[in-house]
Every structure is written in C-alpha cells, then in structure tokens.
C-alpha cells in the first residue's frame, strides 16, 4: 500500500493508497498536478495550491467509493464548546469505526495540514517509507475520510 511521495502532495498520495491507484492517474483525472504556486509570499509547501478533500471525494465516488467524514473529537457549540467524549472514549470510538476500513486521516502536524492513509490497522504516511501505528504519530487527527463501497 505504501507510496512514498517525492513532493508535498500527501492528500493525493493518501487517496491513491486507499483507492489502489497511481497518484499520477488521479492527478490527470483532476487535470491538475498539484505544484501550482498560489501564495508566493508563503513558505513552501504552504505556497502551493495542493488538493481539496472535495476533489478526492469526487474521484472516489467515480470509483464507487464514498468517503465519509468522521470526527474523533466532536463538540457541541452553544454559548461554550462542550466536548462530547473524554479522550479515552474518543479513541475507542474512533478506532472501532476505523477497524478494518480504509481511510484518509487528516491533521495539522505543522502549520500545513497533512494526510495519511489508513489500511484498517496501520498508518501509511506518504512522507515516510515505513508503516506506523496510530500511537506513533505525534500530531492529532482532526478527522477521517472513511472509505465505504457504494452498493445497490
């Protein structure tokens, strides 16, 4: 499953891993390679256009896969923000939903957001050459795009 990226296109590479596709084929289908400088004053890779979740969701749908947005740490908002689950329950809940399913995990390890692939038990980070466990990443996951085959 692991595809090592040669540039800063982690979302494209994570999508390619969970969809069993080549990154270049996905980029060609979107008619965009991902290296366009959109914000010249920003430090690379934050200056690049990159890809949006919606573009990846469209690609997956054309392949009969729905990517469902799932938050490990949901909040209710009113006068104040209220966390729905304590941390331990968050992780049990999140891991039980991810178990045996492919997903793209999104978070912000630096000022730039990051995406990794999940195969149901391990993380495949496009910026690393080896898979890792959930406990080995040093950044918090903001949400997952969990892959479900579309049937009927």
């Amino acid at each position: 499953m692991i595809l090592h990226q040669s540039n800063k296109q982690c979302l494209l590479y994570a999508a390619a891993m969970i969809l069993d596709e080549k990154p270049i084929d996905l980029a060609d289908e979107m008619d965009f390679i991902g290296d366009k400088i959109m914000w010249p004053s920003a430090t690379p890779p934050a200056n690049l256009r990159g890809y949006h979740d919606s573009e990846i969701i469209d690609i997956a749908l054309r392949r009969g896969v729905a990517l469902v947005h799932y938050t490990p740490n949901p909040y209710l908002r009113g006068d104040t923000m209220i966390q729905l689950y304590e941390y331990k329950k968050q992780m049990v809940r999140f891991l039980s939903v991810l178990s045996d399913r492919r997903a793209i995990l999104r978070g912000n390890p630096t000022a730039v957001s990051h995406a990794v692939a999940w195969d149901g038990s391990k993380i495949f980070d496009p910026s690393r050459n080896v898979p890792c466990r959930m406990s080995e990443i040093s950044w918090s996951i903001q949400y997952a795009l969990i892959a479900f085959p579309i049937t009927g």
Side-chain angles (χ1 to χ4, degrees):
M1 180 183 217
I2 199 157
L3 292 171
H4 187 70
Q5 70 179 1
S6 57
N7 49 29
K8 302 297 181 185
Q9 298 180 20
C10 57
L11 180 56
L12 176 69
Y13 277 68
M17 284 188 267
I18 70 161
L19 296 171
D20 289 324
E21 298 275 350
K22 294 178 181 173
I24 191 66
D25 292 341
L26 300 182
D28 286 347
E29 190 172 329
M30 289 184 277
D31 199 28
F32 175 64
I33 301 300
D35 56 359
K36 181 178 180 183
I37 294 176
M38 293 291 289
W39 300 275
S41 62
T43 304
N47 64 338
L48 299 176
R49 176 195 180 276
Y51 295 93
H52 191 277
D53 288 350
S54 293
E55 293 172 298
I56 303 304
I57 290 167
D58 290 344
I59 290 276
L61 287 171
R62 287 194 288 273
R63 286 160 174 74
V65 177
L67 295 177
V68 176
H69 185 276
Y70 193 81
T71 306
N73 186 14
Y75 285 85
L76 294 174
R77 294 173 195 242
D79 290 344
T80 60
M81 288 179 44
I82 300 170
Q83 188 174 329
L84 287 180
Y85 307 108
E86 64 183 64
Y87 180 77
K88 185 177 178 180
K89 186 172 182 179
Q90 288 172 25
M91 290 312 294
V92 169
R93 175 182 161 273
F94 190 59
L95 291 172
S96 69
V97 170
L98 288 177
S99 180
D100 298 323
R101 293 187 175 98
R102 289 183 174 204
I104 298 170
L105 308 180
R106 301 295 314 263
N108 289 320
T110 63
V112 178
S113 67
H114 190 46
V116 297
W118 172 262
D119 77 344
S121 64
K122 293 182 292 304
I123 289 175
F124 294 84
D125 187 335
S127 65
R128 297 175 59 172
N129 283 321
V130 294
C132 64
R133 294 174 191 251
M134 189 77 71
S135 61
E136 293 178 79
I137 62 171
S138 60
W139 46 276
S140 23
I141 297 164
Q142 292 178 317
Y143 63 93
L145 296 172
I146 304 171
F148 290 92
I150 299 171
T151 59

